[in-house]
Amino acid sequence: SYTMRTYEARAETHPTEIGRRLLTIMASKKTNLCISADLTDPSQILALVDKLGPQICLVKTHIDIITFTTPSSITDFTTALSALATKHNFLIFEDRKFADIGSTVAHQYRGGVYRIASWSHITNAHTVPGPGIIAGLHSVAKEVGEPRGLLMLGEMSSEGNLGGGEYLQKTVEMARGDREFVVGFIAQGKVDGAKEGEDWIVMSPGVKLGGGGDALGQRYNTPQSVVGDKGSDVVIVGRGVIMSEDPVTDAEKYRVAAWGAYEKRVAA
Ligand code: BMP
């Protein structure tokens, strides 16, 4: 299966341009760590990301949780974040979780105050509305003139979520309809039944060393469990790093754990 191939090898053959770029970054920086920068102060986010830049392949944002005082401060933030992405060689993933009909998500992705398509290399979407959501987002991605990729949510980390199992399989079927734009999935492990020549990048949120959960239904797995045992590619870590007194030291623990789990997997 493709999960036994190295990121370097997959970077040569991934069907999406964003997938090739991300896998190249992962291989060269030796990191499959994505930081979920879930802070509400824009300057705190930028300071944190500048510190963690060398350790990560990807930054995940929730642009709509950030406190912006003026419309121009949104553009200032996305411009500064893009500059950090260039400086440290990582990609940006806006965790927008689009969930509407194609026509509406096209407007949401292109416009409004956030203009997500203009600065975010990767975004994600639920499969509930059907394949029109992928077509709507892809039409906007094509307008941008720079590579863009999409992750489909097939399974969530939270207690009682309706994903996984048959839902995940149907999500994979839907993704097969657009192999140029859909990079992979949000799930807790590799997808079953990948066909010859398929390569799906799977990213897993809900990761914390020590496991556990929070008071609102979040459940945590370890890097070894999602990457080593279950074949996911990228660990997404929020509070495990961003709430730490020493984020750089803790991010390094996650990078080493997730990278070590990957190295063992491909050596097996
Ligand atoms: P934390 O590591 O602090 O629990 O943060 C997890 C992040 O991943 C949050 O930004 C959340 O929105 C996101 N997320 C998740 O936790 N589970 C999912 O299944 C999908 C997500 O995007």
Side-chain angles (χ1 to χ4, degrees), residues 36 38 60 62 95 97 156-157 186 205 218 220 237-239:
S36 188
D38 299 335
K60 187 173 84 56
H62 281 299
D95 187 2
K97 296 189 181 71
M156 294 190 69
S157 58
I186 296 292
Q218 177 68 298
Y220 290 114
V237 182
R239 286 165 285 181

Side-chain angles (χ1 to χ4, degrees), residues 69-125:
T69 46
T70 62
S72 67
S73 60
I74 302 174
T75 322
D76 292 346
F77 174 79
T78 57
T79 303
L81 187 63
S82 301
L84 290 176
T86 304
K87 174 181 172 187
H88 295 293
N89 192 29
F90 61 75
L91 298 184
I92 303 170
F93 164 22
E94 165 58 24
D95 187 2
R96 174 60 179 76
K97 296 189 181 71
F98 291 102
D100 213 322
I101 60 166
S103 168
T104 300
V105 297
H107 284 298
Q108 292 171 323
Y109 187 30
R110 178 197 301 114
V113 288
Y114 298 122
R115 305 171 54 83
I116 293 165
S118 73
W119 52 269
S120 181
H121 303 99
I122 297 172
T123 191
N124 57 354

Side-chain angles (χ1 to χ4, degrees), residues 31 33 35 44-56 88 209 237-257:
T31 177
L33 174 63
I35 284 299
Q44 275 182 20
I45 297 177
L46 295 171
L48 180 76
V49 168
D50 198 13
K51 271 199 265 182
L52 300 180
Q55 298 164 289
I56 60 179
H88 295 293
L209 289 165
V237 182
R239 286 165 285 181
V241 167
I242 66 172
M243 293 307 176
S244 157
E245 292 286 306
D246 184 355
V248 171
T249 299
D250 279 329
E252 192 58 14
K253 290 181 190 158
Y254 282 92
R255 190 194 66 79
V256 165

Side-chain angles (χ1 to χ4, degrees), residues 12-267:
E12 300 287 316
T13 56
H14 199 273
T16 69
E17 191 169 347
I18 280 293
R20 292 191 295 275
R21 274 184 66 177
L22 181 65
L23 290 159
T24 302
I25 291 170
M26 290 161 68
S28 70
K29 291 173 74 176
K30 294 196 188 314
T31 177
N32 50 354
L33 174 63
C34 167
I35 284 299
S36 188
D38 299 335
L39 301 171
T40 57
D41 179 331
S43 42
Q44 275 182 20
I45 297 177
L46 295 171
L48 180 76
V49 168
D50 198 13
K51 271 199 265 182
L52 300 180
Q55 298 164 289
I56 60 179
C57 59
L58 189 65
V59 160
K60 187 173 84 56
T61 53
H62 281 299
I63 193 72
D64 60 354
I65 71 171
I66 303 173
T67 308
F68 292 112
T69 46
T70 62
S72 67
S73 60
I74 302 174
T75 322
D76 292 346
F77 174 79
T78 57
T79 303
L81 187 63
S82 301
L84 290 176
T86 304
K87 174 181 172 187
H88 295 293
N89 192 29
F90 61 75
L91 298 184
I92 303 170
F93 164 22
E94 165 58 24
D95 187 2
R96 174 60 179 76
K97 296 189 181 71
F98 291 102
D100 213 322
I101 60 166
S103 168
T104 300
V105 297
H107 284 298
Q108 292 171 323
Y109 187 30
R110 178 197 301 114
V113 288
Y114 298 122
R115 305 171 54 83
I116 293 165
S118 73
W119 52 269
S120 181
H121 303 99
I122 297 172
T123 191
N124 57 354
H126 286 293
T127 38
V128 172
I133 192 168
I134 302 177
L137 294 169
H138 197 167
S139 71
V140 173
K142 282 176 177 157
E143 298 166 6
V144 176
E146 280 177 61
R148 294 291 179 254
L150 182 68
L151 296 163
M152 299 307 295
L153 284 124
E155 181 181 27
M156 294 190 69
S157 58
S158 42
E159 178 100 52
N161 80 89
L162 302 178
E166 197 186 331
Y167 185 98
L168 177 57
Q169 281 313 307
K170 295 231 160 130
T171 299
V172 175
E173 277 304 312
M174 217 182 279
R176 289 190 171 120
D178 191 347
R179 297 276 307 276
E180 201 184 297
F181 184 45
V182 183
V183 172
F185 304 99
I186 296 292
Q188 292 297 305
K190 75 169 158 50
V191 295
D192 290 330
K195 296 181 182 163
E196 189 63 35
E198 283 185 349
D199 181 340
W200 303 110
I201 298 173
V202 175
M203 303 195 189
S204 302
V207 169
K208 199 173 211 177
L209 289 165
D214 72 8
L216 298 173
Q218 177 68 298
R219 292 178 304 189
Y220 290 114
N221 284 312
T222 62
Q224 172 57 35
S225 154
V226 291
V227 174
D229 306 342
K230 296 201 275 174
S232 174
D233 291 306
V234 174
V235 296
I236 301 175
V237 182
R239 286 165 285 181
V241 167
I242 66 172
M243 293 307 176
S244 157
E245 292 286 306
D246 184 355
V248 171
T249 299
D250 279 329
E252 192 58 14
K253 290 181 190 158
Y254 282 92
R255 190 194 66 79
V256 165
W259 191 258
Y262 152 74
E263 283 196 316
K264 259 193 280 164
R265 178 176 102 199
V266 293

